[in-house]
């Protein structure tokens, strides 16, 4: 089977396994576009899900009238490190090993992994989509690198993002965010892996070395030629804050764990770009889970809700 | 009279008017050093006071056993824009007009100004040392410029601090801090001038133009050749946070005015430099004023306290 098309009906017709590879802020629209053409003999993988991607995709399909829901799952990060070079060329620099995967609801994870592993054999299961959603390294690295290089970005300076701009003090900020993220493990049923373990899993085989996220990124040969963006209107802010940091903030606030560094980072990013990233973020409230206790939330991501899944 | 000495007794002997021109974190020590040699026929000017400088200087003199207190006052900022070029040369690039001045207690301000104006004729009176302490533009400009250029500082990049590094989004942060500062005017008895008016007063005569602090700094010819620091261990953090931003934060918290941008900036600066700037800051608590109501605080800076002044 080999077909490239922009016709969504044609693309989905007879597809058993569907990968949705778009920025988080487009997932909702893609769900609505797919809704008339998907059914319960299909499997949809959001890669990555970002926080709550599978939950929202599922909700949107139902809202759009799809009553034979496909199986839905997500990865915690993109499977490739790549860049579009021109309209017909992609430069794939790296391929992540041990990429975390979970279905929504999580009771489907093992069965879905069996379907996917012939294509992506190194995916590993995570407990549920809260874990994948909170295990994407992007927000923790991208947002500090953007914010603490504001003038370089606005001045469109050519600067190597990881090798040059990721200095020790930026690393201290990243470490503080990570400490707040790991505090969420105080919540019964959450067991987030340290980001260093996750990134080592992805990239150690390609040469990434170190004990901190700063070291792991600076030493990763596939990141050698990544330049800092030259605009603040970039997915490193527009995706990573409302679909990464704000959801984390909403969980920490809901469950009473520390979040002052996360909040400070979001607040100053809002001010710097004159954008309220809280407003349209995919946080617990937006997903309709704002009043759930931790136990209810965990039960929801593992079992689904009556009516939300067949 | 013309004498250069490092002997404090010799320096203070027969001096009527004494200018203390040191970074805020040294004022306490200078007070202790001066205490045995000063008396009530002298006038001491801290330039600048930074927040609470005169109050603390007065307290330290008393603690050190000085029971014939000199008159004490402060300016809101340094009178010159200058740099030390080598051990015997200072490069004076600018001289501030309309520099705010207040005595502690403020009932002495007019008399002290009469003493000073033959030397510095353009000083203007402020209501009290809360006003001078909260009207120093340095913390509002220096700290954002440091924080949003972290990697440039650590990489010791040659970059023009005002002309290049002070970009529009850094200006947005500065404006947010300024808005929170002006919110303090909700407190009865406080009437802080906008920073733009203050800086126009200082530098319009030298060519500074614009409606925002960003424009005023970028257009100021005397700032043309100011380079960004090359170390995070710099007074732009070590002085401007604990003697500028944290005191402002402590006032805003005490009086219930907005302070989220200020707090975010302090929090991330703490994380970036692995320093707790709150701990030894000269805030209301440190000055022994932490439990004062706004009315008590205002009365204190205008009239002094029984026992604190003769």
């Amino acid at each position: 089977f080999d077909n490239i098309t922009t016709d969504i009906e044609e693309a989905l017709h007879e597809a058993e396994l569907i990968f949705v590879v778009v920025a988080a802020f487009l997932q909702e629209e893609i769900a609505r576009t797919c809704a008339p053409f998907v059914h319960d003999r299909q499997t949809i993988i959001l890669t990555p899900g970002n926080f709550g991607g599978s939950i929202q995709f599922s909700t949107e399909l139902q809202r759009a009238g799809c009553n034979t829901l496909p199986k839905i799952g997500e990865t915690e990060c993109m499977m490739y490190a790549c860049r579009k070079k021109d309209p017909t060329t992609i430069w794939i620099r790296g391929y992540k090993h041990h990429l975390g995967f979970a279905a929504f609801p999580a009771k489907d994870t093992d069965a879905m992994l069996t379907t996917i592993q012939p294509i992506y054999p190194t995916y590993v299961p995570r407990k549920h989509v809260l874990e994948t959603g909170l295990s994407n390294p992007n927000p923790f690295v991208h947002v500090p690198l953007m914010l603490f290089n504001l003038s370089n970005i606005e001045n469109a300076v050519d600067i190597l993002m990881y090798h040059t701009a990721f200095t020790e003090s930026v690393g201290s900020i990243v470490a503080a965010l990570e400490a707040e993220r790991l505090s969420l493990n105080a919540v019964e049923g959450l067991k987030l892996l340290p980001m260093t373990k996750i990134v080592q899993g992805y990239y150690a085989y390609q040469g990434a070395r170190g004990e901190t996220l700063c070291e792991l990124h600076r030493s990763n040969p596939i990141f050698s030629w990544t330049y800092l963006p030259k605009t603040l209107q970039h997915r490193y802010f527009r995706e990573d804050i409302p679909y990464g940091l704000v959801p984390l903030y909403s969980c920490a606030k809901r469950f009473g764990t520390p979040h002052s560094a996360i909040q400070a980072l979001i607040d100053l990013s809002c001010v710097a770009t004159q954008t309220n990233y809280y407003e349209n973020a995919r946080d617990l409230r937006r997903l309709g889970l704002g009043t759930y206790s931790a136990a209810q939330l965990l039960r929801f991501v593992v079992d689904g809700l009556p009516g939300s899944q067949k």
Side-chain angles (χ1 to χ4, degrees), chain A residues 48-71:
Chain A
N50 288 288
F51 188 84
S54 301
I55 299 171
Q56 190 167 19
F57 206 91
S58 166
T59 305
E60 287 306 317
L61 286 182
Q62 288 175 289
R63 276 192 195 145
C66 175
N67 48 26
T68 56
L69 278 190
K71 293 203 178 304

Short mmCIF file of all heavy atoms in Angstrom, two decimals, chain A residues 48-71:
data_model
loop_
_atom_site.label_atom_id
_atom_site.label_comp_id
_atom_site.label_asym_id
_atom_site.label_seq_id
_atom_site.Cartn_x
_atom_site.Cartn_y
_atom_site.Cartn_z
N PRO A 48 3.31 13.34 18.75
CA PRO A 48 2.97 12.98 20.12
C PRO A 48 1.56 13.42 20.51
O PRO A 48 0.93 14.20 19.79
CB PRO A 48 3.99 13.80 20.92
CG PRO A 48 4.18 15.03 20.11
CD PRO A 48 4.01 14.62 18.66
N GLY A 49 1.10 12.89 21.66
CA GLY A 49 -0.22 13.27 22.15
C GLY A 49 -0.20 14.66 22.75
O GLY A 49 -1.15 15.41 22.65
N ASN A 50 0.93 15.04 23.34
CA ASN A 50 0.98 16.17 24.27
C ASN A 50 -0.09 15.94 25.34
O ASN A 50 -0.77 14.92 25.31
CB ASN A 50 0.83 17.51 23.57
CG ASN A 50 2.09 17.85 22.77
OD1 ASN A 50 3.12 18.15 23.34
ND2 ASN A 50 2.01 17.73 21.45
N PHE A 51 -0.22 16.85 26.26
CA PHE A 51 -1.11 16.53 27.38
C PHE A 51 -2.56 16.40 26.92
O PHE A 51 -3.12 17.31 26.32
CB PHE A 51 -1.02 17.60 28.47
CG PHE A 51 -1.76 17.23 29.71
CD1 PHE A 51 -1.17 16.43 30.67
CD2 PHE A 51 -3.08 17.65 29.90
CE1 PHE A 51 -1.86 16.06 31.81
CE2 PHE A 51 -3.77 17.28 31.05
CZ PHE A 51 -3.16 16.49 32.00
N GLY A 52 -3.17 15.25 27.22
CA GLY A 52 -4.59 15.06 26.98
C GLY A 52 -4.99 14.88 25.52
O GLY A 52 -6.18 14.90 25.21
N GLY A 53 -4.02 14.71 24.63
CA GLY A 53 -4.34 14.60 23.21
C GLY A 53 -5.37 13.51 22.89
O GLY A 53 -6.37 13.77 22.22
N SER A 54 -5.14 12.31 23.39
CA SER A 54 -6.06 11.20 23.11
C SER A 54 -7.44 11.44 23.68
O SER A 54 -8.46 11.08 23.09
CB SER A 54 -5.52 9.90 23.71
OG SER A 54 -4.26 9.60 23.20
N ILE A 55 -7.46 12.04 24.86
CA ILE A 55 -8.76 12.31 25.50
C ILE A 55 -9.54 13.29 24.65
O ILE A 55 -10.71 13.07 24.33
CB ILE A 55 -8.55 12.88 26.93
CG1 ILE A 55 -7.80 11.87 27.81
CG2 ILE A 55 -9.89 13.27 27.55
CD1 ILE A 55 -7.35 12.42 29.16
N GLN A 56 -8.87 14.37 24.24
CA GLN A 56 -9.59 15.36 23.45
C GLN A 56 -9.96 14.82 22.07
O GLN A 56 -11.06 15.10 21.57
CB GLN A 56 -8.78 16.64 23.31
CG GLN A 56 -9.65 17.74 22.69
CD GLN A 56 -9.07 19.12 22.77
OE1 GLN A 56 -7.89 19.29 22.97
NE2 GLN A 56 -9.94 20.10 22.62
N PHE A 57 -9.08 14.05 21.47
CA PHE A 57 -9.38 13.48 20.14
C PHE A 57 -10.63 12.61 20.21
O PHE A 57 -11.53 12.69 19.37
CB PHE A 57 -8.18 12.66 19.65
CG PHE A 57 -8.08 12.55 18.15
CD1 PHE A 57 -7.35 13.48 17.42
CD2 PHE A 57 -8.72 11.52 17.47
CE1 PHE A 57 -7.25 13.40 16.04
CE2 PHE A 57 -8.64 11.42 16.09
CZ PHE A 57 -7.90 12.37 15.36
N SER A 58 -10.67 11.80 21.25
CA SER A 58 -11.82 10.93 21.46
C SER A 58 -13.10 11.73 21.66
O SER A 58 -14.14 11.47 21.04
CB SER A 58 -11.52 10.04 22.68
OG SER A 58 -12.67 9.42 23.14
N THR A 59 -13.01 12.76 22.50
CA THR A 59 -14.17 13.62 22.75
C THR A 59 -14.65 14.30 21.47
O THR A 59 -15.85 14.35 21.18
CB THR A 59 -13.80 14.70 23.79
OG1 THR A 59 -13.31 14.06 24.95
CG2 THR A 59 -15.00 15.55 24.14
N GLU A 60 -13.69 14.80 20.68
CA GLU A 60 -14.05 15.52 19.47
C GLU A 60 -14.71 14.60 18.43
O GLU A 60 -15.64 15.00 17.74
CB GLU A 60 -12.82 16.19 18.85
CG GLU A 60 -12.32 17.40 19.60
CD GLU A 60 -13.38 18.46 19.83
OE1 GLU A 60 -14.15 18.76 18.90
OE2 GLU A 60 -13.45 18.97 20.96
N LEU A 61 -14.19 13.37 18.32
CA LEU A 61 -14.81 12.41 17.38
C LEU A 61 -16.26 12.18 17.78
O LEU A 61 -17.17 12.20 16.93
CB LEU A 61 -14.05 11.08 17.40
CG LEU A 61 -12.68 11.03 16.71
CD1 LEU A 61 -12.10 9.61 16.79
CD2 LEU A 61 -12.78 11.46 15.23
N GLN A 62 -16.49 11.98 19.07
CA GLN A 62 -17.87 11.74 19.54
C GLN A 62 -18.76 12.95 19.28
O GLN A 62 -19.89 12.82 18.80
CB GLN A 62 -17.87 11.42 21.03
CG GLN A 62 -17.31 10.04 21.32
CD GLN A 62 -17.20 9.79 22.82
OE1 GLN A 62 -16.36 10.38 23.47
NE2 GLN A 62 -18.06 8.93 23.34
N ARG A 63 -18.23 14.14 19.60
CA ARG A 63 -19.00 15.37 19.39
C ARG A 63 -19.36 15.53 17.92
O ARG A 63 -20.41 16.09 17.59
CB ARG A 63 -18.19 16.60 19.81
CG ARG A 63 -18.28 16.87 21.28
CD ARG A 63 -17.69 18.27 21.59
NE ARG A 63 -17.46 18.37 23.01
CZ ARG A 63 -16.47 19.03 23.58
NH1 ARG A 63 -15.59 19.66 22.84
NH2 ARG A 63 -16.36 19.07 24.89
N ALA A 64 -18.47 15.07 17.05
CA ALA A 64 -18.71 15.22 15.61
C ALA A 64 -19.56 14.08 15.06
O ALA A 64 -19.70 13.92 13.85
CB ALA A 64 -17.37 15.30 14.88
N GLY A 65 -20.09 13.25 15.95
CA GLY A 65 -21.06 12.25 15.52
C GLY A 65 -20.50 10.87 15.26
O GLY A 65 -21.23 9.99 14.80
N CYS A 66 -19.22 10.66 15.54
CA CYS A 66 -18.65 9.33 15.33
C CYS A 66 -19.08 8.43 16.49
O CYS A 66 -18.66 8.63 17.62
CB CYS A 66 -17.12 9.44 15.26
SG CYS A 66 -16.30 7.85 15.17
N ASN A 67 -19.93 7.46 16.23
CA ASN A 67 -20.37 6.61 17.34
C ASN A 67 -19.80 5.19 17.28
O ASN A 67 -20.21 4.31 18.01
CB ASN A 67 -21.89 6.60 17.49
CG ASN A 67 -22.55 6.37 16.14
OD1 ASN A 67 -21.93 5.76 15.25
ND2 ASN A 67 -23.78 6.83 15.97
N THR A 68 -18.87 4.97 16.34
CA THR A 68 -18.09 3.72 16.36
C THR A 68 -16.62 4.10 16.46
O THR A 68 -15.88 4.09 15.48
CB THR A 68 -18.34 2.91 15.07
OG1 THR A 68 -18.03 3.75 13.95
CG2 THR A 68 -19.76 2.43 14.98
N LEU A 69 -16.24 4.48 17.68
CA LEU A 69 -14.90 5.05 17.91
C LEU A 69 -13.78 4.06 17.59
O LEU A 69 -13.83 2.91 18.01
CB LEU A 69 -14.75 5.45 19.38
CG LEU A 69 -15.31 6.78 19.86
CD1 LEU A 69 -14.81 7.04 21.27
CD2 LEU A 69 -14.91 7.92 18.94
N PRO A 70 -12.75 4.54 16.87
CA PRO A 70 -11.54 3.72 16.72
C PRO A 70 -10.81 3.62 18.05
O PRO A 70 -11.10 4.38 18.98
CB PRO A 70 -10.70 4.53 15.72
CG PRO A 70 -11.20 5.92 15.82
CD PRO A 70 -12.63 5.86 16.25
N LYS A 71 -9.85 2.72 18.12
CA LYS A 71 -8.96 2.72 19.27
C LYS A 71 -8.03 3.92 19.14
O LYS A 71 -7.57 4.24 18.04
CB LYS A 71 -8.15 1.43 19.33
CG LYS A 71 -9.01 0.20 19.61
CD LYS A 71 -8.18 -0.92 20.20
CE LYS A 71 -9.06 -2.14 20.54
NZ LYS A 71 -10.19 -1.80 21.46
#
